[in-house]
Amino acid sequence: MDKNFGLSHTEKEIMELLWQSEEPLSFREILDHANEVWKKNWKKQTLNTYLLNMQKAGLIGSERGKVYQVYFPICTKEEHIQNWTRKLVRETFEGSLYSFVVAFTGGEKLTEEEAEELRKLI
């Protein structure tokens, strides 16, 4: 299963950085973090390409800060995981939650406790 929830490794790193920040981050702050902490050795164009693609994908937004362009996540990490999971069920299991659960359990019977937990969710 995709541990990055539909994100490449680098996209996930950038999203984690943005999710953890209490305020939007400037291009320079992201680039400095990538090069100093992640040891990426990126040029400006490399980060710019990632940020533009992530904006096109609806993952991040940007706006003009006081001096620089700043970037922020469009949704929380939990919302992203929920959206990715819904997309997975829709595209892989034709939208059938039943088919998803059958695949998840390997066709084995659920315990009474598991079944009760699912009933509560529904």
Side-chain angles (χ1 to χ4, degrees), residues 3-98:
K3 294 179 184 176
N4 291 333
F5 305 105
L7 303 172
S8 72
H9 175 74
T10 300
E11 289 170 337
K12 186 171 185 226
E13 285 180 316
I14 294 169
M15 290 305 298
E16 291 288 353
L17 178 65
L18 294 172
W19 282 323
Q20 292 169 6
S21 178
E22 294 183 17
E23 54 189 49
L25 297 175
S26 71
F27 184 92
R28 173 56 57 191
E29 289 171 314
I30 299 169
L31 184 62
D32 287 348
H33 187 87
N35 289 336
E36 293 168 15
V37 177
W38 301 333
K39 308 294 184 207
K40 294 286 191 181
N41 196 26
W42 282 349
K43 305 284 187 242
K44 290 179 183 179
Q45 186 57 41
T46 303
L47 177 59
N48 191 55
T49 299
Y50 275 108
L51 294 175
L52 284 174
N53 288 339
M54 292 171 73
Q55 283 181 289
K56 288 178 187 176
L59 295 168
I60 62 173
S62 71
E63 59 188 25
R64 189 80 176 144
K66 291 179 182 177
V67 178
Y68 303 104
Q69 193 77 6
V70 295
Y71 298 86
F72 52 90
I74 296 293
C75 61
T76 66
K77 183 176 183 176
E78 293 74 22
E79 289 169 333
H80 173 73
I81 292 170
Q82 288 173 350
N83 293 336
W84 177 82
T85 303
R86 284 187 193 111
K87 182 179 177 187
L88 173 74
V89 171
R90 186 176 59 251
E91 292 178 357
T92 307
F93 300 99
E94 298 175 359
S96 169
L97 189 56
Y98 174 81

